[in-house]
Amino acid sequence: MSYWARSICRHKQCGKEEVITNKMNNKSMKRLGHGSSESRRPPSRVQSQSTTNQARRSAIINPTQVITVVIFSIISFYCGTLMGWSACSSSPHNHGQDQNGLRDSNQNCNEICKNMKCNNTTPRKYTTSGTSKRFSSKLSHWATGLVSINRKDLFDTYDFGVPMSDGAEKEDVLMLYNERKAMPNERSLSRAAEYDGDIPHTTAKEATENCDSMSVVFIKNPDSRKIGQCVALVGGQYQGYHVQRWQRLIGEGPKGKTDRSAPLRVTSRMTNGAGYDEFLLPKKELVEKHQGIMKTYFTYLIKIREDLDAILKKIAVNNSVVVMTVNKGQSDLLMNFACSARARGFSLDNVLVFPTDIFSKDLAEGLGLATFYSHELMEHVPERDSKRYGDGTFGAIMLAKVICVHLVNDLGYDLLFQDVDISWYKNPFDFFHSAENSGFDMYFQDDGNRQQRFAPYSANSGFYFVRSNDRSKVLFRSMMYAGDLIFAARSHQQVLIQLLSEHNSLSGLRVKVLSRDDSEFPSGYHYNMRKDYMKQMVRGDKTPYMFHMCWTLNRDDKVAYMKQMGMWYLKDNCVGRKAASLGDINTACCSAEPIIECAYKDKASIIPCKDSPQKDKGSPSFW
């Protein structure tokens, strides 16, 4: 545990001893084998006389005990005789038969033991040399014992929804017990946890067997190279569900700077090691822009809901739909998705596109996709493509994503939201509708980015599945009202993750991020950072459900990478043209086979691109 916990200290006030008695009921003390102070006193004369009388009475032969001993003796003789015959009668010609006989004899004995409720398991014993309590009386009102658990074991036992970080098999978790009654049943383990000495190690199942509730805190220094982090666990206070972050800083917000000579003060949890605060507060103009959009939203909401619900009733399959939104600048990516999905045999009958302009609406409908278009709601979104990730156009499109997801979710439909830069290899609903994946309200693709502003989920906001229920509806209503934060951050991913954390704690929203180490839902993280995975995919050793070409600077990079990977099915002569000029779009624009072109030799490709230029300086060829 030294990778995150160096030492535990007890804090004494200036010479003042404040004794806090740890009260607990007798029932829990008996269960753990901890007697009261009276049980440790020397026996009185009356007690000694009573003990003597009990011993005399117990010396009298009890017929029931005799019968029990005889029965067990007969069973032991029978089992021993059977196993002895089987073991001693082996010879070259009947060895296999004798082994079967031994196996049958053992099975018979085990069955008898099972019926007699025998206990053949020997509990593990824990030792401690400590004679003093691990926590003083000033801490025992909230801390009574400690054990360690392997981190992977804990994550395998309890699915917290967050992606498990690397090295879990070699690292431990610290489990702190607030009361004795929460400690494990094994007496030697609970004593080792309570008294000084080495912290005992056990399994997640045993460590939590008496935990009626468990508070989980994820701890990691966001920048160990620049700052030294301390963690204060404050017992006896009104229960809190958030972490206060204090840092030695001079300056504010983006002008902040870490200074070890400065006093500790409260700061944003998105403040990095250098002191720069990545949480951008919205300015007046962004607040007013969002207020205008919300005014329009509430003005037309009743009609919007009626018209949208009529469409959803027609296309939903198992109460589920695929939701996408697109503007003119990214319309070719939508066309490619439709072309590639149909070329691979997928039905798009339950896909609903929310175009932000007439150009995109006509193209989507020409592809045979259902659409819902509201000029009033989408007029704030520019037609042009964003020049780069995080610019103003990008931020405006992000709010459009929130609007369409909120509306569908609020009408009671489960939905798979996805960006347009995605290719399907298998039907994603087969995964999300399976019985083993029914335990969460929301499933997200792992973004792969571990920046502080995306903690603790690192959820990708371009591919996720949502079950419509009261918890998810509250979440997306909150997202609608946070549009000014989205405009300020120029990304709804950051704001969404903040609200996921809040609603996971507030309403018990069950959120699951599909780890980047899982091969089922790869993304641009794998394309840029996991050459080993991409080689497996190129060889055909990996067939994911989908691939999301995120982690790119702009649209041009997306198209180039998708063409190299055999994900591009849209003919070049259809890009940027109005639907009316294309006739039957599926026939005129969609290729039956992938259109493969090399762009960069150092990027993953399904064919060798050794003669192509290099994208990243110093990066070796993929092939």
Side-chain angles (χ1 to χ4, degrees):
M1 290 181 295
S2 62
Y3 67 98
W4 68 273
R6 298 296 180 194
S7 63
I8 298 175
C9 62
R10 298 168 180 162
H11 177 68
K12 266 190 174 181
Q13 294 183 355
C14 302
K16 296 182 181 178
E17 293 291 334
E18 181 181 1
V19 179
I20 302 175
T21 305
N22 183 32
K23 299 180 180 179
M24 70 183 277
N25 56 52
N26 291 330
K27 181 177 179 182
S28 61
M29 292 174 69
K30 290 178 180 178
R31 179 175 64 181
L32 295 169
H34 300 290
S36 64
S37 58
E38 293 184 358
S39 67
R40 295 191 292 271
R41 296 173 184 170
S44 65
R45 186 173 181 181
V46 176
Q47 289 173 327
S48 299
Q49 182 66 35
S50 174
T51 303
T52 304
N53 292 337
Q54 289 177 0
R56 288 173 180 171
R57 286 195 298 271
S58 64
I60 301 174
I61 296 175
N62 188 325
T64 302
Q65 294 175 342
V66 173
I67 293 172
T68 302
V69 171
V70 171
I71 291 174
F72 273 97
S73 298
I74 293 172
I75 292 172
S76 299
F77 175 78
Y78 168 72
C79 292
T81 302
L82 283 178
M83 288 188 286
W85 283 343
S86 300
C88 296
S89 60
S90 60
S91 63
H93 68 274
N94 66 357
H95 180 73
Q97 180 179 354
D98 293 333
Q99 290 298 319
N100 292 333
L102 179 60
R103 193 181 302 111
D104 294 339
S105 300
N106 285 331
Q107 187 174 356
N108 291 337
C109 291
N110 289 336
E111 189 65 28
I112 292 172
C113 255
K114 181 179 178 181
N115 293 334
M116 295 295 292
K117 298 182 179 179
C118 300
N119 183 10
N120 294 322
T121 60
T122 302
R124 178 181 175 185
K125 296 297 181 183
Y126 299 82
T127 59
T128 179
S129 58
T131 56
S132 301
K133 294 291 184 70
R134 192 177 294 278
F135 296 104
S136 70
S137 59
K138 287 189 175 183
L139 290 172
S140 62
H141 64 288
W142 72 277
T144 58
L146 287 174
V147 300
S148 66
I149 311 162
N150 177 260
R151 179 153 62 90
K152 185 177 186 304
D153 178 24
L154 184 67
F155 271 65
D156 288 344
T157 305
Y158 301 101
D159 194 338
F160 302 114
V162 300
M164 183 173 65
S165 299
D166 297 337
E169 299 87 350
K170 301 178 181 179
E171 297 174 351
D172 287 347
V173 170
L174 195 64
M175 176 69 75
L176 174 68
Y177 296 102
N178 290 161
E179 302 92 10
R180 282 184 179 177
K181 61 185 177 182
M183 291 188 189
N185 292 328
E186 171 54 43
R187 293 183 180 182
S188 63
L189 174 57
S190 61
R191 190 183 191 284
E194 186 176 5
Y195 283 81
D196 279 341
D198 292 340
I199 298 173
H201 185 83
T202 186
T203 64
K205 182 178 180 181
E206 185 173 36
T208 59
E209 61 185 339
N210 290 320
C211 297
D212 298 320
S213 69
M214 178 172 65
S215 297
V216 181
V217 181
F218 303 108
I219 300 173
K220 185 177 181 180
N221 189 336
D223 196 342
S224 59
R225 297 169 301 174
K226 297 180 180 179
I227 58 175
Q229 178 169 272
C230 305
V231 178
L233 302 178
V234 185
Q237 281 298 117
Y238 199 17
Q239 181 75 4
Y241 293 96
H242 292 80
V243 175
Q244 278 196 20
R245 183 169 175 78
W246 292 59
Q247 195 164 326
R248 299 186 186 277
L249 297 171
I250 55 175
E252 292 282 348
K255 296 182 180 180
K257 183 180 178 180
T258 300
D259 188 332
R260 302 202 72 177
S261 65
L264 285 167
R265 61 180 174 85
V266 175
T267 186
S268 162
R269 66 174 184 239
M270 293 187 190
T271 303
N272 61 25
Y276 177 83
D277 187 356
E278 294 184 296
F279 183 74
L280 302 177
L281 295 169
K283 303 298 183 182
K284 180 181 178 182
E285 59 271 18
L286 297 180
V287 174
E288 292 176 347
K289 178 180 179 180
H290 177 242
Q291 289 173 344
I293 294 171
M294 293 306 298
K295 180 180 179 181
T296 302
Y297 167 79
F298 285 116
T299 300
Y300 295 96
L301 180 59
I302 295 177
K303 186 177 187 311
I304 286 173
R305 284 173 58 90
E306 290 175 352
D307 294 345
L308 178 58
D309 193 34
I311 298 172
L312 291 168
K313 286 178 179 177
K314 293 178 182 178
I315 69 169
V317 177
N318 295 325
N319 198 52
S320 299
V321 294
V322 179
V323 173
M324 306 173 75
T325 187
V326 65
N327 71 343
K328 179 181 178 180
Q330 293 196 332
S331 58
D332 58 332
L333 292 169
L334 172 69
M335 296 173 72
N336 180 67
F337 165 74
C339 292
S340 64
R342 289 200 173 108
R344 291 170 178 164
F346 296 109
S347 170
L348 301 179
D349 292 345
N350 67 334
V351 173
L352 178 61
V353 179
F354 285 74
T356 64
D357 48 62
I358 294 296
F359 183 94
S360 303
K361 175 180 180 294
D362 292 342
L363 281 176
E365 291 176 353
L367 288 163
L369 303 175
T371 66
F372 180 83
Y373 175 68
S374 170
H375 171 72
E376 291 80 11
L377 274 183
M378 298 298 183
E379 63 178 346
H380 70 281
V381 181
E383 286 190 352
R384 65 183 182 276
D385 182 31
S386 56
K387 298 298 182 183
R388 59 186 297 118
Y389 172 85
D391 66 13
T393 300
F394 187 89
I397 295 173
M398 294 306 104
L399 184 59
K401 295 180 180 183
V402 174
I403 292 172
C404 61
V405 169
H406 159 64
L407 288 170
V408 175
N409 170 260
D410 206 53
L411 285 169
Y413 294 88
D414 299 340
L415 66 95
L416 171 63
F417 177 83
Q418 66 169 52
D419 286 343
V420 290
D421 55 345
I422 281 176
S423 293
W424 286 0
Y425 292 88
K426 295 186 288 188
N427 190 338
F429 285 113
D430 292 344
F431 179 90
F432 297 119
H433 285 167
S434 63
E436 59 267 30
N437 294 313
S438 61
F440 288 87
D441 301 317
M442 303 180 71
Y443 285 87
F444 284 84
Q445 182 183 47
D446 188 344
D447 184 81
N449 192 328
R450 296 298 186 258
Q451 290 182 36
Q452 182 70 4
R453 64 194 184 109
F454 295 145
Y457 287 109
S458 188
N460 188 295
S461 56
F463 184 87
Y464 58 92
F465 178 77
V466 184
R467 289 188 171 89
S468 180
N469 55 39
D470 289 341
R471 291 182 295 271
S472 61
K473 289 178 182 179
V474 170
L475 169 73
F476 284 107
R477 280 198 296 271
S478 300
M479 280 291 291
M480 279 292 295
Y481 303 149
D484 53 346
L485 291 176
I486 295 172
F487 289 144
R490 296 179 179 178
S491 166
H492 83 304
Q493 180 181 6
Q494 175 180 310
V495 179
L496 176 59
I497 292 173
Q498 295 161 12
L499 290 176
L500 288 177
S501 299
E502 174 63 20
H503 287 263
N504 171 252
S505 173
L506 182 64
S507 68
L509 181 74
R510 297 186 291 269
V511 180
K512 170 70 174 177
V513 175
L514 303 164
S515 174
R516 65 187 183 184
D517 298 324
D518 187 348
S519 61
E520 300 282 17
F521 298 92
S523 69
Y525 161 78
H526 296 81
Y527 190 80
N528 290 285
M529 307 296 290
R530 289 285 306 277
K531 183 179 289 189
D532 59 329
Y533 178 86
M534 297 309 299
K535 286 184 178 294
Q536 290 177 316
M537 189 172 170
V538 168
R539 289 195 304 264
D541 298 336
K542 298 283 189 183
T543 304
Y545 277 94
M546 48 70 72
F547 197 99
H548 183 191
M549 196 57 79
C550 53
W551 275 54
T552 56
L553 182 64
N554 51 40
R555 171 201 162 278
D556 292 341
D557 281 351
K558 292 180 188 293
V559 174
Y561 298 161
M562 295 178 87
K563 284 183 176 181
Q564 288 202 170
M565 282 300 299
M567 300 176 186
W568 195 258
Y569 287 74
L570 178 63
K571 297 176 182 178
D572 288 343
N573 62 331
C574 294
V575 176
R577 292 173 58 184
K578 291 185 177 181
S581 68
L582 297 173
D584 185 341
I585 297 179
N586 288 302
T587 302
C589 299
C590 294
S591 172
E593 299 295 331
I595 301 170
I596 303 171
E597 293 180 8
C598 286
Y600 305 107
K601 64 181 180 181
D602 56 329
K603 294 297 181 181
S605 58
I606 62 171
I607 60 172
C609 295
K610 296 180 180 179
D611 296 329
S612 299
Q614 192 179 52
K615 175 66 172 176
D616 300 323
K617 186 177 180 180
S619 181
S621 174
F622 178 78
W623 285 83

